[in-house]
Amino acid sequence: MATIAMMASAALLAGCASSSSSGSDDGSGGATTSPGTVGIIGDQPAGGSPVDGGTLSFAPFAPVASLDPTRTIAAGASGGSQMAAIYDVLMRWDSGTEKYVPQLAESFTSSDDHLSWTLKLRDGIKFSDGTELNADAVVSSTNRYNQNRGSGSEVFQAGVQSVEATDPSTVVYTLKQPWPEFPSQLSFGYGMIVAPSSDGPDNAFTPIGAGPFTLTKLTPGTELLLTARADYWNGAPHLAELKFVDILGDQPKIDAMKAGGIHMAYLRNADSVDTAKADFPGYIETDSMMDFGAVNSREGHPGADVRVRKAMALAIDPDVMNERGRDGKGIPGTAMFLDWSKWHNDVAGITPNLDEARALVEEVQAEGLDTHIKIVSAQVPASQAMALVEQSMLQSAGFTADIEYVANFTDLLKTLFVTYDFDLALSGTPVPDAAPFGRLFSILNSTSSTNSGGYADPKMDQLLEDVKSAITDDEKRTALAAVQTEVNEKAPILAWGAGTNFVPWTNNVHGVVPSQDGIVLFDKAWIE
């Protein structure tokens, strides 16, 4: 059960732990951005020639308790940057070219039928223990990730027929169906290659990778200290050390940056993003589905009836939630992909309509069915505000709605992914334009352990497969429109809006290379 909760944490961190970002200029002189912006923003003086030495301090969204990629979500909000510093990644996302580009890999190419992908490794790459990172090591790490059920392994195993080392520097991935987004898999957990020597007796684990840094000290919940490798394949890092420190709350992180206590931070709160981009350069990323309502559709819950789910979707207006719960700073909408997204299509989301919601509630009540909704929320101000708005709108539609507060996000994870003792909760998962399939699979597929609502429908599963195998952008947009149509019809989740994360750095930090989902790479970073 703990593994399931761990695997769900990245998705929940997106929606439950903070608010969405407006992605627009706040009028205070910062970088002007618009919804959908992805890339480096802000004015930063040129730093001249790189300087060697120094310790870069970074306050992440949440600290890591483990550096095992199969035990920690390899996303920007939950340890992705920390683990990329140790393991590196086979591929990374380049927001400038909007393509996945090789990192540890030398090349990654697809066959004409998109059923086979060939990975060529760079020569001379070694793990920090001195052993070679070759094709056998990639296959071994991949098998380990599958066996330990790392985050996203269900998607990977459902789509990949085999992974084979055909020579010391070549790995061939054979797929079951075409999957043009497949390179995204190698920019997260599957791309963080763990050395065979990492696993010791009695389940002991030592983080040994091919990245630019090695572990010096990990104090869970407090500090992670990494030391640069002189023998890193892409040249010794300029930095001497990387330090990840735990600072609770976005505003204290910004205050620490202004005071010179830290150099970088990971932010998601709307007000904090606006504040930080007025003062600091950094990497900003807008993703779809950062806010959605998780509806428990399991038997014994009101949401098992599609009419109840539809009534909830019609009753709750994301624009009202944004004004009352986000101070108007979110990116609300009932469409899964809003008009700034590459995947926006001609199928609109559900239009809130209180009269139609009331009619459905009355119909269900006339049959003697349950319309008592338990809203579960973490007991923190942002989540409490949203829960109160949900409660008010559901009650206006004729539901009886109560809020049950749990102490923290750990307890909320347990509720949503272990005990299932809820009817509605604010959730979310960042769905990037670069690779929407994987995250949609996680929240809508029947077999996914991160499908918190338990919605299971073979039709939806097939529609998701159509998204995965779509070759052209038009084909994918059509497939996503079909998913939106089904979401409108069956309301397995309630789409409420998009959101933004921002990784700012102080003006004396240079050379940080962003990837996807807020993950950043430090091998070329330096402090002026």
Side-chain angles (χ1 to χ4, degrees):
M1 293 191 298
T3 299
I4 294 175
M6 179 279 297
M7 290 174 64
S9 63
L12 279 170
L13 287 171
C16 302
S18 62
S19 61
S20 302
S21 167
S22 65
S24 59
D25 184 40
D26 63 356
S28 58
T32 299
T33 59
S34 59
T37 297
V38 176
I40 295 177
I41 63 170
D43 296 324
Q44 183 175 23
S49 299
V51 176
D52 290 339
T55 299
L56 189 150
S57 297
F58 186 120
F61 184 78
V64 296
S66 170
L67 292 168
D68 182 345
T70 70
R71 303 295 179 190
T72 304
I73 302 292
S78 50
S81 295
Q82 296 94 310
M83 290 188 293
I86 293 172
Y87 302 103
D88 217 332
V89 286
L90 290 171
M91 303 288 291
R92 68 171 178 85
W93 173 252
D94 185 325
S95 61
T97 62
E98 297 188 348
K99 294 180 180 179
Y100 289 96
V101 297
Q103 180 73 7
L104 284 174
E106 182 176 80
S107 64
F108 193 46
T109 56
S110 171
S111 61
D112 291 340
D113 61 6
H114 298 278
L115 291 174
S116 177
W117 289 81
T118 300
L119 176 80
K120 286 286 187 181
L121 292 167
R122 300 178 189 273
D123 293 332
I125 298 179
K126 293 186 181 297
F127 293 109
S128 58
D129 66 355
T131 59
E132 186 179 3
L133 193 164
N134 55 21
D136 286 337
V138 172
V139 173
S140 174
S141 183
T142 302
N143 292 338
R144 178 183 184 275
Y145 200 92
N146 288 335
Q147 291 162 5
N148 291 349
R149 300 181 63 189
S151 176
S153 59
E154 293 157 323
V155 179
F156 187 93
Q157 292 184 86
V160 179
Q161 182 73 40
S162 64
V163 182
E164 298 178 289
T166 58
D167 65 43
S169 64
T170 306
V171 180
V172 175
Y173 300 80
T174 301
L175 309 186
K176 298 176 183 178
Q177 306 91 19
W179 188 357
E181 286 181 21
F182 185 65
S184 67
Q185 296 292 300
L186 306 191
S187 69
F188 293 108
Y190 280 99
M192 297 176 179
I193 306 305
V194 175
S197 59
S198 288
D199 289 310
D202 300 322
N203 295 318
F205 177 79
T206 303
I208 301 173
F213 295 86
T214 59
L215 175 65
T216 300
K217 180 175 68 173
L218 171 60
T219 305
T222 304
E223 180 183 281
L224 167 65
L225 183 64
L226 305 179
T227 301
R229 283 182 60 189
D231 61 343
Y232 176 57
W233 68 269
N234 201 23
H238 297 297
L239 297 170
E241 293 179 319
L242 267 178
K243 181 187 291 186
F244 296 88
V245 296
D246 183 29
I247 298 177
L248 185 62
D250 279 6
Q251 189 57 49
K253 295 175 186 176
I254 296 173
D255 293 341
M257 289 183 67
K258 290 180 176 180
I262 61 173
H263 299 95
M264 295 179 64
Y266 185 105
L267 307 174
R268 265 206 172 125
N269 181 274
D271 290 335
S272 302
V273 169
D274 282 342
T275 298
K277 70 191 178 86
D279 294 312
F280 303 107
Y283 178 68
I284 197 164
E285 183 173 287
T286 310
D287 292 318
S288 300
M289 299 299 292
M290 289 275 268
D291 274 351
F292 70 80
V295 181
N296 195 337
S297 60
R298 297 174 178 85
E299 289 301 320
H301 292 267
D305 192 307
V306 64
R307 294 170 297 178
V308 170
R309 300 196 301 271
K310 286 287 295 288
M312 294 166 75
L314 290 163
I316 299 176
D317 188 335
D319 287 324
V320 176
M321 292 181 71
N322 179 45
E323 291 300 322
R324 296 182 185 175
R326 303 277 196 226
D327 294 326
K329 292 184 177 293
I331 311 176
T334 60
M336 300 172 69
F337 299 94
L338 302 178
D339 57 8
W340 52 264
S341 171
K342 176 180 181 178
W343 308 117
H344 180 67
N345 53 73
D346 58 4
V347 179
I350 290 176
T351 301
N353 187 308
L354 197 56
D355 290 336
E356 291 183 17
R358 286 189 185 119
L360 285 172
V361 172
E362 290 171 0
E363 180 182 323
V364 171
Q365 289 173 338
E367 297 176 15
L369 301 178
D370 186 13
T371 56
H372 189 153
I373 304 300
K374 179 193 284 189
I375 302 169
V376 177
S377 169
Q379 200 160 359
V380 296
S383 295
Q384 288 173 308
M386 297 295 278
L388 288 168
V389 179
E390 296 162 32
Q391 180 188 43
S392 174
M393 288 188 281
L394 288 175
Q395 289 176 335
S396 295
F399 286 103
T400 300
D402 296 322
I403 303 174
E404 181 176 293
Y405 293 109
V406 296
N408 50 47
F409 293 116
T410 300
D411 289 345
L412 185 60
L413 288 170
K414 182 178 179 181
T415 299
L416 290 179
F417 294 96
V418 180
T419 67
Y420 309 124
D421 187 20
F422 75 100
D423 295 314
L424 177 65
L426 172 64
S427 189
T429 188
V431 178
D433 271 6
F437 164 72
R439 295 288 169 82
L440 291 181
F441 181 101
S442 72
I443 60 176
L444 291 170
N445 183 268
S446 300
T447 65
S448 172
S449 61
T450 50
N451 175 351
S452 59
Y455 181 75
D457 188 329
K459 181 177 179 181
M460 177 62 79
D461 293 345
Q462 182 56 56
L463 292 174
L464 292 171
E465 286 297 309
D466 294 342
V467 173
K468 179 175 77 172
S469 59
I471 302 299
T472 68
D473 286 354
D474 285 343
E475 288 173 348
K476 182 174 288 188
R477 201 171 288 111
T478 298
L480 289 168
V483 172
Q484 179 72 70
T485 298
E486 188 68 5
V487 167
N488 292 349
E489 287 294 318
K490 302 292 179 62
I493 56 173
L494 313 182
W496 288 338
T500 301
N501 58 57
F502 184 44
V503 181
W505 48 76
T506 54
N507 282 328
N508 62 338
V509 171
H510 304 272
V512 175
V513 177
S515 184
Q516 190 171 300
D517 203 31
I519 293 175
V520 293
L521 307 180
F522 298 98
D523 55 299
K524 295 301 181 184
W526 58 281
I527 303 171
E528 186 178 358

